Amino acid sequence: MKQKNYGPRTLLVSSLTKKYIMAAAGIFLMLFLIMHLATNLLMLMGDDGKAFEKAVKFLTQNPLIKIMEYVLFGAFLIHILIGVVLEFYNYRARPVKYKEPLRSEASPFSKFMIHTGIIILIFLVLHLWHFFFIRLGVVAIPEFAAHEKDFFNMAIHTFTNPLYSAIYLISFVFLGFHLKHAFQSAFQTFGLFHNKYNRVIKIVATIYALAIAIGFSIIPVYFLFFFE
Ligand code: HEM
């Protein structure tokens, strides 16, 4: 079957550029997750959130972090927009709907990046509603919180609710799958996925994805079952 030709070479070039930008934004987001997890794990110190509050105070008052917040939201926006556009191009460029699933060398996660991405986006809206939008004043300060940065009490309230904890935990499974492929894919995009290092990159990607997914999961589990 003759394949449809979707546009000039420039489309290919610009798709590549899009992939570079998307990968760069993705790497930034992956680094953010490490920092975000490290800060949030301070909630589990057993000191009623004192160390965590200190870290939040430092982060929310630091002008450099404030700038990084804008960069972070820019990165999210770019990553999501380009992800949707690339998915749309790929969909249109597909000559026929496959009757049988194609056997491919790609990891099974790679076929579901847009789906896991959408789930993470839905999670993110709920998550920002629980914490960040309260600090911004978009959502009113709830009665259980002393002030707009009282994230420890917000966490207690959120995660002692089994429904919210379940939603968070399920989202972290999808986040793990998304990150596993994202990590490898970023290396590939920047041409660093060499046969020699394939195995190492795959192992590091798995360790990173597992550490993030399990690390974040510990927080709702702690508040749901072990917090007194
Ligand atoms: C149990 C796990 C998590 C907890 C307890 C948690 C906690 C928080 C808290 C307290 C804030 C408000 C910080 C502030 O306004 O300064 C926040 C903001 C945010 N969280 Fe999370 N988070 C979790 C997981 C995640 C995950 C998995 C993602 C991304 C996929 C994420 C993305 C964000 C973003 C983008 C913000 C707004 C930017 C920022 O304030 O740093 N969080 N989170």
Side-chain angles (χ1 to χ4, degrees):
M1 161 125 356
K2 195 168 176 264
Q3 288 207 1
K4 279 187 190 168
N5 181 6
Y6 276 101
R9 246 182 102 76
T10 48
L11 181 68
L12 184 72
V13 173
S14 74
S15 282
L16 257 171
T17 313
K18 283 190 198 83
K19 269 210 80 122
Y20 279 126
I21 299 171
M22 189 173 171
I27 289 171
F28 181 79
L29 295 174
M30 287 195 281
L31 292 173
F32 158 76
L33 281 180
I34 296 175
M35 210 184 103
H36 197 49
L37 175 60
T39 314
N40 287 326
L41 284 177
L42 292 175
M43 287 186 196
L44 316 187
M45 299 275 285
D47 60 353
D48 278 332
K50 297 272 182 313
F52 171 70
E53 265 165 29
K54 262 192 193 161
V56 167
K57 202 168 168 197
F58 169 76
L59 291 173
T60 50
Q61 286 176 353
N62 189 320
L64 201 71
I65 302 284
K66 280 208 172 119
I67 296 170
M68 290 310 272
E69 229 164 54
Y70 288 108
V71 179
L72 177 68
F73 279 94
F76 260 114
L77 219 66
I78 288 169
H79 187 78
I80 293 164
L81 274 176
I82 299 181
V84 170
V85 168
L86 286 177
E87 177 67 21
F88 178 69
Y89 281 158
N90 284 344
Y91 180 78
R92 286 215 353 199
R94 236 169 258 158
V96 267
K97 290 268 164 301
Y98 308 127
K99 289 216 175 72
E100 283 173 37
L102 281 183
R103 254 177 245 154
S104 104
E105 288 291 310
S107 91
F109 310 121
S110 65
K111 299 186 194 82
F112 299 109
M113 288 307 273
I114 188 77
H115 311 90
T116 49
I118 289 169
I119 291 167
I120 294 164
L121 182 60
I122 295 168
F123 155 78
L124 210 53
V125 175
L126 180 79
H127 175 52
L128 297 186
W129 197 270
H130 283 151
F131 296 97
F132 185 62
F133 288 164
I134 297 175
R135 167 151 83 84
L136 289 192
V138 179
V139 175
I141 302 172
E143 76 279 2
F144 52 78
H147 50 83
E148 79 280 6
K149 288 183 199 169
D150 188 5
F151 298 130
F152 190 69
N153 275 315
M154 293 177 208
I156 295 174
H157 186 81
T158 303
F159 299 124
T160 49
N161 179 328
L163 176 66
Y164 285 143
S165 266
I167 293 174
Y168 270 71
L169 289 171
I170 293 166
S171 305
F172 296 154
V173 173
F174 289 108
L175 178 67
F177 286 139
H178 193 83
L179 291 174
K180 159 82 169 72
H181 177 71
F183 194 103
Q184 285 167 214
S185 181
F187 273 89
Q188 214 158 24
T189 299
F190 289 114
L192 300 170
F193 207 73
H194 190 274
N195 266 347
K196 230 165 134 187
Y197 313 114
N198 272 5
R199 254 177 68 83
V200 180
I201 292 172
K202 274 187 182 173
I203 290 170
V204 178
T206 308
I207 292 172
Y208 171 79
L210 278 175
I212 294 290
I214 294 172
F216 275 119
S217 299
I218 291 171
I219 298 168
V221 169
Y222 167 77
F223 281 108
L224 199 56
F225 298 112
F226 302 104
F227 182 74
E228 283 157 6

